């Protein structure tokens, strides 16, 4: 036995023993070097301590192999040799140096600790010492000025990076030291230096991944600091916080989801796309991998779906990809539940807005099953005071309805109520999203259901937003589904409380939009409700005086005519003018200036065109009743104005059928005569002016024969003569023109007594203050003289004509040259009757005139006349 032992002792060492010997020798050498240098760390001078640390750095770098990757065995041997001296000698001294008064020494100590951890064979052995030291420097008591123990922000960053390295190298061994690590992170996550916050976020995420079995006990304590940093002014910090929060909750406690979601929702409004994308990715990851994700579906789904409508295409695409993965995963996990729907899948509805991109069954089911929990919050946000919140909610509602499809029927009441309110929003983007949502209601919900709710809301309180919702729903509804309900919609729109609901411009626009949408969706099916739609258009036109919607009404009417294959709005009036006239005239006995029916009547009268000639049996009695002196004066003025416009183009309106002459006597005696009677007051004078204007329009329209004009003259001449004394210049001027028209078309003097009464009234107008009235009076006097036949019967009028000559010769010396010329023409026209008399009268006054020129012209004219027979 002794011999054997001696032989073994004499044998050369094996490879393993040689390596161990080499490691021991290398470790001993390193220990000697460190032992020589470490006392310098206790020097009183900071320069001395710094030199000692720099020497240690050189020694460590020199001991490291030049190319460790090229020789793994050498690297392993080096790390094994380094472990002992590192843990026994170097680590305690370097940790002590972290509290050195000199900033440079602390920086070198942190750097050496980083080198040591990377080189040590068992870095986890350093954790019991390293973590408390880091906690002391980063999370110790603050100074009186509120500063952390480590005042230098670059050093705080280096220490947090050192903690991250320890977490990465220590792995599960970090679990016993979780308290220290979390305590550090709670402080550094709120560090004033942005880079420290970012590094802390990465460290927190690494800590969560490294200690999954224990981290859940500490994760909640990190949520508070993270949420305080989520609104940091640096977007990179916000991104890092969001990503760290995702990991912390993924590996920690799911209870924190409720605390985090409000902050995440706010970050969806962030101006920086990277921040919104981070929220999208984190929420998508939770929906895929969070342990308790089923409990939070109704809270997480809205956040992910909101990103589908993001302005940045990349974010929207990322959200769509994640959402599809979520739906497919849920579909696989619940395959037994969905077996029938998977085996007998239904195709998308015929009018689906995007059948090629219809969400997968899992996505649709997730939304449908959680809609009752999501919808109330969406409805609440749609009424928020912040525009951005309302816009996001409106976009989310659109996505939800697209997924819910016909399942939205059971929530339709709530959806329509919130759309009714949101469509009145001041922001156009919110309104656009809501109208698209209303269109989806039309696509997926039966008209019988949504019409019952919408029309009920309109009955209770008609509003522009309610009409916009109705128009949008109709736009989305299929034609064949809407056709049975078309008449009901038209009848409701034509009801007074809706079509007369407001004179607001927006209300009128949305009412027109309803009609246009019905016409575009139902096309020729609108024939059955054309009358009701015309009633709506007439009412909007009647109420559009102050809103300027006339052009839009005309466009809508043309569109309605086009789908019914008729030539424009005139044909529509021709088709419906009778019922329209009966419709508006039902209450004409009670009309006042404020009656909507009066406005509607005016629209029909002024826009019906040739169709008006077909309803004279309705039209004339209404006018006769409403234009009596006892009725509202302002209403009569309005009617006279409309009547004047119609009579100016009588051939194309009231006389389009050539039947107006049958009603001429009624118009003259029952309408014009009562309104030409003198009554005190400015309003009465205005009515007389309007009546005179109507008569002039009728006479100027060329629809009356000479005989008919004579009949009118017989009825109205005396009344017109009285209007020559009106205060209104326009009335006096038009009256002169009417008398002139009467005289020109008369075949003689008629009743001499009545005839003689005309010229004195015209003579008075030669003294009128209006130059135009004086000239019109001279024209009328020419026509009056032309009515007297140059025969034996003229002697009956000699005294009157002599008086006329004398008066006209006075005006022949008028200051106005135009009046002198006009009077000269009157005298020339009347000179053929009694020329000798006129010569004597002229010669008697010629010397009295300031200028005898016009008298001489008249005498020359008289000399040129042929001698009387």
């Amino acid at each position: 036995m002794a011999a054997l032992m001696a032989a073994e002792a004499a044998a050369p060492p094996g490879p393993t023993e040689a390596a161990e010997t080499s490691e021991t020798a290398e470790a001993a050498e390193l220990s000697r070097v460190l032992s020589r240098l470490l006392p310098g760390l206790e020097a009183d001078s900071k320069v001395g301590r710094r030199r000692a640390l720099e020497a240690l750095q050189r020694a460590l770098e020199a001991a490291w192999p030049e190319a460790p990757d090229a020789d793994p065995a050498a690297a392993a041997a080096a790390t094994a040799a380094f472990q002992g001296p590192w843990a026994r000698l170097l680590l305690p001294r370097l940790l002590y140096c972290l509290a050195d008064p000199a900033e440079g020494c602390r920086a070198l100590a942190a750097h050496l600790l980083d080198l040591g951890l990377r080189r040590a064979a068992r870095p986890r052995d350093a954790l019991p010492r390293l973590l408390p030291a880091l906690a002391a420097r980063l999370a110790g008591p603050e100074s009186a000025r509120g500063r952390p123990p480590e005042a230098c922000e670059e050093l705080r960053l280096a220490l947090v990076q050192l903690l991250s390295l320890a977490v990465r190298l220590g792995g599960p061994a970090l679990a016993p030291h979780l308290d220290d690590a979390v305590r550090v992170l709670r402080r550094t996550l709120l560090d004033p230096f942005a880079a420290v916050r970012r590094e802390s976020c990465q460290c927190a995420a690494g800590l969560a991944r490294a200690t999954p079995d224990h981290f859940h006990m500490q994760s909640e304590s990190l949520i508070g600091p993270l949420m305080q940093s989520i609104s940091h002014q640096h977007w990179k910090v916000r991104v890092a916080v969001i990503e760290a929060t995702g990991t912390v909750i993924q590996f920690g406690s799911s209870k924190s989801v409720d605390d985090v979601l409000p902050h995440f929702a706010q970050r969806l409004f962030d101006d920086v796309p990277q921040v919104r994308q981070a929220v999208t990715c984190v929420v998508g990851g939770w929906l895929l991998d969070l342990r308790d994700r089923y409990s939070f579906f109704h809270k997480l789904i809205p956040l992910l779906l909101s990103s589908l409508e993001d302005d940045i295409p990349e974010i929207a695409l990322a959200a769509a990809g994640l959402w599809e993965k979520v739906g497919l995963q849920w579909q696989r996990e619940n395959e037994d539940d969905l077996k029938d729907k998977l085996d007998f899948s239904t195709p998308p509805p015929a009018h689906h807005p995007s059948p090629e991109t219809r969400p997968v069954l899992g996505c649709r089911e997730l939304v449908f099953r959680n809609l009752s929990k999501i919808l109330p919050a969406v409805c609440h946000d749609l009424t928020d005071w912040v525009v951005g919140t309302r816009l996001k909610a409106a976009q989310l509602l659109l996505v939800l309805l697209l997924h819910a499809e016909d399942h939205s029927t059971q929530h339709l009441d709530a959806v329509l109520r919130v759309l009714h309110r949101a469509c009145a929003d001041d922001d156009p983007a919110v309104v656009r999203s809501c109208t698209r949502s209303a269109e989806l209601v039309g696509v997926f919900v039966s008209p019988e259901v949504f019409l019952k709710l919408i029309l009920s809301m309109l009955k209770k309180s008609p509003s522009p937003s309610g009409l916009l919702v109705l128009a949008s729903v109709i736009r989305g509804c299929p034609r064949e589904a809407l056709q049975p309900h078309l008449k009901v919609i038209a009848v409701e729109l034509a009801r007074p409380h809706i079509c007369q609901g407001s004179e607001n411009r927006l209300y009128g626009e949305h009412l027109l939009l309803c009609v246009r949408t019905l016409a575009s969706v139902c096309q020729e099916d609108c024939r059955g409700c054309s009358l009701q739609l015309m009633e709506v258009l007439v009412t909007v036109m009647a109420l559009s005086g102050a809103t300027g919607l006339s052009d839009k009404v005309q466009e809508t009417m043309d569109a309605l005519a086009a789908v019914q294959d008729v030539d424009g709005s005139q044909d529509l009036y021709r088709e419906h003018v009778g019922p329209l006239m009966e419709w508006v005239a039902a209450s004409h006995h009670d009309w006042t200036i404020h009656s909507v029916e009066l406005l509607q009547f005016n629209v029909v009268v002024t826009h019906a065109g040739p169709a008006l000639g077909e309803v004279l049996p309705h039209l004339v009695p209404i006018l006769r009743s409403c234009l009596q002196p006892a009725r509202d004066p302002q209403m009569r003025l309005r009617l006279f104005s409309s009547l004047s416009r119609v009579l100016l183009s009588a051939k194309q309106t009231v006389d389009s059928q050539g039947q107006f002459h049958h009603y001429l006597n009624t118009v003259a005696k029952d309408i014009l005569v009562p309104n030409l009677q003198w009554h005190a007051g400015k309003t009465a004078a205005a009515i007389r002016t309007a009546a005179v204007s109507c008569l002039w329009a009728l006479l100027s329209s060329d629809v009356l024969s000479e005989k008919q004009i004579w009949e009118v003259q017989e009825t109205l001449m005396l009344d017109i003569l009285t209007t020559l004394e009106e205060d209104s210049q326009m009335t006096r001027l038009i009256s002169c023109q009417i008398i002139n028209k009467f005289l020109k078309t008369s075949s003689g003097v008629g009743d001499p007594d009545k005839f003689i009464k005309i010229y004195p009234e015209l003579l008075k107008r030669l003294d009128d203050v209006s130059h135009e009235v004086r000239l019109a009076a001279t024209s009328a006097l020419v026509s009056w003289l032309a009515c007297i036949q140059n025969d034996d019967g003229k002697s009956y009028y000699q005294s009157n004509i002599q008086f006329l000559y004398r008066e006209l010769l006075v005006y022949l010396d008028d200051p106005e040259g135009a009046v002198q010329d006009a009077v000269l023409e009157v005298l020339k026209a009347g000179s053929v009757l009694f020329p000798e008399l006129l010569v004597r009268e002229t010669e008697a006054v010629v010397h009295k005139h300031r200028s005898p020129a016009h008298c001489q012209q008249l005498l020359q004219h008289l000399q040129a006349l042929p001698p009387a027979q």
Side-chain angles (χ1 to χ4, degrees), residues 113-136:
L113 285 169
D114 182 273
L115 287 177
L117 279 178
R118 293 178 187 276
R119 187 172 180 187
R122 298 185 302 279
R124 65 192 61 183
D125 292 350
L127 296 179
R129 295 179 179 180
L130 178 62
L131 266 296
L134 292 177

Side-chain angles (χ1 to χ4, degrees), residues 29 109 142 182 350 389 391 424 439 454 524 546 704 741 819 823 847:
E29 178 63 23
E142 295 182 350
V182 169
T389 303
L391 179 57
E439 289 178 23
I454 295 177
E524 60 269 16
L704 301 182
K741 183 76 171 179
V819 174
V823 171
H847 65 280

Side-chain angles (χ1 to χ4, degrees), residues 423-476:
C423 281
D425 201 280
D426 295 331
D427 188 80
V430 175
V431 176
R432 281 196 299 272
S433 293
C434 289
T435 53
R436 290 172 59 196
S437 296
E439 289 178 23
L440 292 181
V441 171
V443 171
F444 297 123
V445 180
S446 166
E448 186 176 356
V449 178
F450 68 67
L451 284 177
K452 182 179 179 182
L453 295 172
I454 295 177
L455 295 180
S456 174
M457 286 191 289
L458 284 175
K459 286 179 182 177
K460 292 179 181 177
S461 58
S463 64
S465 59
L467 292 172
L468 181 58
V469 170
L470 176 60
S472 303
V473 171
I474 292 172
R475 188 184 302 116

Side-chain angles (χ1 to χ4, degrees), residues 662-683:
H662 295 303
Y663 302 92
L664 185 58
N665 188 50
T666 302
V667 171
K669 288 185 177 181
D670 298 339
I671 295 178
L672 294 179
V673 169
N675 289 283
L676 289 172
Q677 303 303 312
W678 189 89
H679 296 280
K682 292 183 179 180
T683 303

